[in-house]
Amino acid sequence: MKQISILSSAVAAALFSQSTMAAVITGQVLDKNQQPISNAEVHVHGKSQSVVTNKQGQFKIDVDNKGQLHISKDDFIDKRVEINGDNQNLVITLTPTSVETVVVYASALHKNSLEMISPVNVLAGDNLKNKAKPTLGETLKGLPGVNASYFGPVSSSPIIRGLDGPRVKITQNGLDSSDASRIGPDHATSNDSLAAEQIEVLRGPATLLYGSGAIGGVVNVVDNRIPTDNIDTLTGAAQYTHDTVSNTNTYAAKLETGNEGFNFHFDGTKRKGHDYKTPTFELPEEHDEHEGEDHEEHETANRVENTFIDSQNVNFGTSYVGDHLTLGVSYGRIETDYGIPAHEHHHHEEHEEGEHHDENEGEEEHEESVFAQLEQDRWQSYMSYALHNNWIENISLRVGYTDYKHAEIEDGAVGTVFSNKTTEARATVEHKLGLWHGMAGYHYTESDYDADGEEAFTPASVTKTNALFMLEERQFGDVTVELGARIEDYQIDSAVSMAEHHHDHAHEEEEGHDDEEAEIINYSEDFTNLSFSAGAIWQYQEGQSVALSVSRSERAPLSAELLSNGVHIATGTYELGLGYHIEDGEIHFEPEDIDQETATNFDLSFRRFIGDFGYTVNFFYNDIENYYYQQSTGLVFDEEHGLESAAEADEDAMAVYQFASKDAKLYGIEFDVHYQVSPSTLVKVFGDSTTAKLKDGEGYLPRIPANKLGSELQYTVGGWQFSLAGTHYFEQSDITAYETKTDGYTLFDASANYQLDLGPVDTQLYINADNLTDELGFVHSSFIKEKAPLPGRNFSLGIRGYF
């Protein structure tokens, strides 16, 4: 932490340069009908000083120099008012907005969702609770521009504009989730959306705060496990949900309390469910010993085996919040067992053709199939010191330590164990330099990854990053300009075993070779990633804006992209990293001249959020040099002969895919349009389209999500809230040579919520109906799309209460 100490020393002098308050600003906040607005927040832009209006809409705030007041209130458009540093009395009128405004914590500059230059989606409040699923991918996939990788409903990661894996950073309160979801699609993310206060999906300049590699975007899960506001009373919430499609029961609870600046938080979730049901579908043909036998009937199924889940997590947090100083710490524990579909290691031959399985069979077969045991311990701490200073507003530090383990259990015994121990620290200084307001900081991560067992296709590695970043903004009248930059030193170290590269096992036995004679190569490489961004938003009319941003990001390969060499049973392939070369059927480790992936992204957004009609339309173009992706080598691998051509191999040999580096381009559109037909009726139309190609006419990129178009009707009457949504996923025929096209399908979902008046407890009964028509749908971005279609008709029945 030497670097953090140096950074703190550099700003320590500012602690003693505080100036006295120079003026008092008073005022009143009114609506369009000249009625007072209570509980509106008023703060000095670029500083943490804030007050709220009283019942008469009045406020009083001390300021130390000229600047700008920022006034915000739910369901109203934020307003900024210039102040000159002298005593002033203001009358401020706020205009109602047609969309919900939410502060985006990951923006770092106290911006709400309507002020962001970069495109952003936020799920919060009851909207988040109604859409929450066991995985982030399934929770977010209905948002414009967002889809899911889908390795069954318990292992599904977000895909943003066709990009996933390491190109989408998943964070919790700004720190990396530090799981193994980037190693393979069958590895679940460790974030639980039920405990979240809100989930933010960012693209563009703000992503530079979290890593140069986040060229797709950042998904930030915000919770209150370290309270940053004082809690004066005991509050809590509880929720129970039952899902019929998988007979899943989910329980969640939260408690918070505080006294004299000391605050405490607890939340916990328990979920247990069985294999999920689907409409009847044909299973892919399997080759067996009955060669030449003509099967006129294909095997069918109406559920996806080995998709059970048994999960529990608890989180504790405490903090002290004073006038200037905030200190806090939290601890979280996750224990999850979940089935990995299409991962049976040839146990499928035990089942009779056309056999259907009963509701509880998933539990009985846990010891016969492959399932994952995920355990994670996560510590986080937070420190913030707020100054009343002319140029430094706030100094903060977040530190996290995560101990993650993912064990795959086969036939009741531990097979492969993946582990990842991560230490992360982020120190930031929020400042105001002249007319510029911004954030500068230092970011450190160390990830110690290891894998041991049959599927340890990626060797153990230690990855370290040290980065400096800056994000600055300035207003020019109705235009706000934002500039960002990040420089990152990225170092990867690994011990590569040359025994992994020779696969003629029969020959080894004849020669008398063994693994002890394997040559070990100590591999170490350093990359310097330089990234920057620029953007502007023009509020050309009240409630209407246009935004343009451009960013250039460099990314070094992860260990899985660089060093993979082995069988990946989950995807049914043999994977090779960028660092290998195949010659005469032999694999050689030659990791020289690997260029960084460099993405230049353009975003153009049009927004209207005033009156009854509003919209957000985003156009994007992403030009990527040295794009890392997997391509077929035309070879196959089997245990007896190693690498050979597909024409000479047995039918059960695995195709060999190697990471390649070529130039690519991705472009498309995402939109969300809404119309308030009446005070009780709202109509939405949303959709997205992404095209992803290699340059020079070399074809499309693999597993790009299908385009989607949807509509939603929301209706409120009395204590009831109803919604009906339909989403059509188009056919995906823009495919690579080794892919098959995916047919289109349409999903209809409905929900009904009823608000109960039970005195001090705010209670809500709800029923959600997913896939009302029981449509059979296959996810093109899934590695196992033919074996794991989407769930069939599902009713979620539940109750939640707050006090």
Side-chain angles (χ1 to χ4, degrees), residues 355-562:
E355 181 181 356
H356 297 296
H357 308 286
D358 62 39
E359 184 85 5
N360 298 314
E361 187 171 353
E363 281 192 308
E364 297 170 0
E365 291 185 349
H366 290 179
E367 292 190 358
E368 297 298 326
S369 57
V370 176
F371 68 97
Q373 284 186 339
L374 186 158
E375 296 179 1
Q376 178 176 283
D377 294 291
R378 184 177 179 89
W379 291 90
Q380 285 193 353
S381 62
Y382 175 68
M383 184 279 292
S384 174
Y385 190 84
L387 295 83
H388 296 301
N389 185 274
N390 287 341
W391 66 283
I392 292 183
E393 172 56 24
N394 182 276
I395 300 172
S396 68
L397 173 66
R398 284 191 182 273
V399 178
Y401 174 77
T402 303
D403 187 351
Y404 170 94
K405 184 172 72 172
H406 170 114
E408 295 189 352
I409 313 300
E410 181 182 0
D411 296 332
V414 176
T416 307
V417 177
F418 301 88
S419 64
N420 192 24
K421 295 181 179 180
T422 302
T423 303
E424 183 174 12
R426 181 191 303 277
T428 60
V429 178
E430 186 178 354
H431 56 262
K432 191 169 185 180
L433 303 175
L435 298 177
W436 289 88
H437 169 225
M439 171 97 50
Y442 166 74
H443 186 194
Y444 168 82
T445 62
E446 179 178 341
S447 176
D448 187 351
Y449 165 79
D450 194 10
D452 183 29
E454 181 181 356
E455 289 197 48
F457 58 93
T458 301
S461 62
V462 176
T463 304
K464 295 181 181 179
T465 64
N466 290 274
L468 296 173
F469 60 85
M470 179 173 286
L471 186 67
E472 305 291 329
E473 69 166 7
R474 178 180 172 178
Q475 283 194 278
F476 297 87
D478 295 329
V479 177
T480 301
V481 174
E482 191 172 274
L483 304 175
R486 180 184 181 97
I487 184 169
E488 177 180 273
D489 176 68
Y490 177 97
Q491 180 179 343
I492 183 170
D493 295 279
S494 180
V496 179
S497 172
M498 293 304 292
E500 298 292 332
H501 311 152
H502 190 98
H503 300 287
D504 191 349
H505 301 306
H507 182 68
E508 284 183 13
E509 292 176 2
E510 292 175 6
E511 295 288 328
H513 295 300
D514 56 41
D515 290 341
E516 294 181 1
E517 299 177 3
E519 179 185 0
I520 302 297
I521 298 177
N522 292 318
Y523 173 76
S524 180
E525 188 62 63
D526 252 303
F527 298 87
T528 300
N529 299 319
L530 178 62
S531 304
F532 58 85
S533 65
I537 184 169
W538 175 30
Q539 306 279 354
Y540 60 91
Q541 288 186 17
E542 187 177 28
Q544 298 185 64
S545 65
V546 58
L548 175 66
S549 63
V550 58
S551 61
R552 181 187 182 278
S553 302
E554 292 182 341
R555 182 177 80 86
L558 296 185
S559 60
E561 296 169 315
L562 181 62

Side-chain angles (χ1 to χ4, degrees), residues 216-285:
V218 171
V219 176
N220 186 43
V221 180
V222 180
D223 56 50
N224 198 39
R225 290 168 184 168
I226 300 179
T228 54
D229 292 316
N230 279 319
I231 305 170
D232 299 323
T233 61
L234 176 65
T235 63
Q239 177 176 332
Y240 166 75
T241 304
H242 175 76
D243 290 339
T244 61
V245 78
S246 58
N247 195 27
T248 297
N249 293 302
T250 303
Y251 309 85
K254 180 177 75 171
L255 287 173
E256 293 183 335
T257 189
N259 184 44
E260 296 183 352
F262 291 93
N263 309 282
F264 304 92
H265 171 98
F266 162 80
D267 71 75
T269 304
K270 167 70 176 176
R271 180 186 292 111
K272 188 170 185 178
H274 307 296
D275 297 347
Y276 72 90
K277 292 178 286 188
T278 70
T280 301
F281 68 100
E282 291 186 356
L283 291 169
E285 293 186 31

